[in-house]
């Protein structure tokens, strides 16, 4: 196992980081979209 | 009979996607735990490759998903071009980053499997090169979709690229048959498999997990896209966010 541990760890770690990065990206995009809605509401309130 | 036009409305689909996405993420997590348990605790060590073969539990499902997501994305692109439906174009956009992520994972894990088994991280083999082309197609799709100020123009241009890029999918799949490649042929096919049953189950559970994750991620992303596009509409401004 120890011979191949590095290759296994690099594979699984990269996959986990890629999925985690995508989930963070999804969260950030939703937060940005919600800010856009809030801005529209503010503009509407000003009118 | 189901009224599909009702669900094609962004306002309706936004709520439906919000209800469905957590279930898909939960299913993905459960299946991943089961798949990793079978892959690491039940499946035996490979007689020739040793422990490093366990990379297949993410490499093969990621490769399958990279091609499947592209196919679904191109179908949505085709529907958006043919019927000029907004939601189909949004779904195509929502799928692309997840497809690109799985293509990257497939290439990366393949590379770290190749080093101890082939003696090299990379080789310009037909299967690997065509998979790299797929990654560039995803990048091209994302770049083209966002290159226009008018998102509908971006939708049309990227949908066209997605449809043209479909030609790469059979090249990836059949590359190991058409050319003399270092990459091995398909171990699993509709005709059967020569794999140990525990190895096969580990791989299938992880493939199902990646599938559920892809649906959950694309539904979550399409909700953000809908909000971005529909932010000036009455229904979007009336939404209550918790």
């Amino acid at each position: 196992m120890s011979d191949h541990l590095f290759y296994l760890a690099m594979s699984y770690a990269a996959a986990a980081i890629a999925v985690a990065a995508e989930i963070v990206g999804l969260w950030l995009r939703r937060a940005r979209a919600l800010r856009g809605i809030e801005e529209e509401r503010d503009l509407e309130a000003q009118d | 009979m189901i009224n599909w036009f009702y669900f094609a409305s962004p306002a309706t689909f936004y709520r439906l996607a919000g209800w469905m996405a957590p279930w898909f993420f939960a299913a993905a997590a459960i299946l991943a735990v089961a798949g990793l348990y079978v892959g690491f605790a039940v499946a035996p060590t490979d007689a020739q490759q040793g422990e490093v073969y366990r990379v297949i539990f993410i490499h093969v499902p990621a490769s399958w998903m990279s091609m499947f997501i592209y196919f679904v994305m191109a179908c949505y692109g085709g529907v958006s071009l043919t019927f000029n439906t907004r939601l189909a174009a949004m779904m195509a956009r929502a799928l692309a980053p997840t497809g690109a992520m799985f293509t990257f994972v497939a290439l990366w894990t393949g590379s770290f499997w190749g080093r101890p088994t082939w003696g090299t991280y990379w080789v310009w083999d037909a299967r690997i090169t065509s998979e790299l082309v797929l990654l560039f197609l995803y990048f091209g799709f994302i770049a083209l979709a966002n290159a226009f100020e008018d998102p509908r123009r971006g939708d049309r241009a990227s949908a066209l690229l997605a449809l043209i890029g479909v030609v790469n999918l059979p090249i990836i799949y059949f590359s190991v048959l058409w050319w003399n490649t270092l990459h091995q042929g398909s171990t699993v096919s509709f005709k059967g498999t020569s794999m140990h049953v525990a190895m096969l189950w580990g791989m299938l559970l992880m493939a199902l997990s990646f599938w559920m994750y892809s649906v959950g991620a694309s539904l979550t992303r399409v909700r953000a896209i809908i909000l971005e596009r529909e932010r000036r509409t009455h229904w979007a401004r009336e939404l209550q966010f918790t």
Side-chain angles (χ1 to χ4, degrees):
Chain A
M1 183 73 155
S2 59
D3 292 355
H4 297 142
L5 191 63
F6 169 73
Y7 302 104
L8 275 177
M10 287 299 286
S11 297
Y12 279 84
I17 290 167
V19 170
E22 185 177 27
I23 290 170
V24 170
L26 286 171
W27 185 79
L28 289 174
R29 187 161 187 178
R30 176 163 172 79
R32 198 177 61 204
L34 294 181
R35 273 202 305 278
I37 298 279
E38 290 297 333
E39 285 168 14
E40 289 297 327
R41 281 178 182 161
D42 291 345
L43 284 172
E44 190 186 33
Q46 284 171 19
D47 293 339
Chain B
M1 190 174 165
I2 299 169
N3 182 0
W4 294 107
F5 291 103
Y6 174 72
F7 291 106
S9 151
T12 311
F13 194 76
Y14 177 84
R15 292 180 181 89
L16 184 67
W19 181 79
M20 290 193 299
W23 292 101
F24 281 104
F25 280 128
I30 293 165
L31 286 162
V33 169
L36 290 173
Y37 173 76
V38 173
F40 279 85
V42 180
T45 304
D46 187 83
Q48 289 183 327
Q49 298 177 32
E51 299 294 344
V52 80
Y53 93 92
R54 294 185 202 276
V55 169
I56 66 161
F57 298 119
I58 43 173
H59 173 70
V60 176
S63 308
W64 285 345
M65 290 314 300
S66 70
M67 290 189 285
F68 180 68
I69 290 174
Y70 192 92
F71 178 72
V72 176
M73 188 181 87
C75 288
Y76 275 120
V79 169
S80 86
L81 277 179
T82 311
F83 301 106
N84 201 25
T85 50
R86 289 181 298 159
L87 189 61
M90 292 184 208
M91 278 305 297
R93 280 178 185 248
L95 283 162
T98 306
M101 187 273 287
F102 277 124
T103 311
F104 167 77
V105 168
L107 287 167
W108 180 276
T109 53
S111 182
F112 276 87
W113 176 83
R115 182 71 182 90
T117 50
W118 296 342
T120 180
Y121 283 106
W122 186 264
V123 60
W124 292 102
D125 167 276
R127 168 63 68 85
I128 304 165
T129 307
S130 53
E131 185 75 9
L132 182 65
V133 169
L134 184 68
L135 182 63
F136 292 148
L137 280 168
Y138 275 120
F139 287 160
F141 178 93
I142 295 165
L144 199 56
N146 295 298
F148 298 88
E149 204 164 318
D150 176 6
R152 300 307 302 274
R153 286 185 69 196
D155 288 346
R156 285 192 290 274
S158 56
L160 202 60
L161 176 67
L163 286 171
I164 292 166
V166 164
V167 75
N168 189 44
L169 297 182
I171 293 175
I172 297 172
Y173 190 78
F174 293 110
S175 57
V176 288
L177 300 175
W178 291 345
W179 292 284
N180 185 18
T181 60
L182 191 56
H183 195 287
Q184 69 195 69
S186 299
T187 312
V188 181
S189 71
F190 291 109
K191 290 174 189 165
T193 180
S194 55
M195 287 175 81
H196 187 281
V197 69
M199 295 176 184
L200 179 67
W201 270 107
M203 218 166 70
L204 291 179
L205 284 167
M206 289 302 287
L208 273 175
S209 167
F210 284 8
W211 193 356
M212 295 298 108
Y213 169 81
S214 303
V215 177
S218 52
L219 288 176
T220 306
R221 189 174 290 108
V222 84
R223 272 164 61 84
I225 295 171
I226 289 171
L227 285 183
E228 288 163 9
R229 297 250 188 123
E230 304 278 309
R231 65 182 186 277
R232 293 192 178 88
T233 60
H234 182 71
W235 76 264
R237 282 183 294 187
E238 292 299 307
L239 283 172
Q240 297 294 318
F241 303 118
T242 53

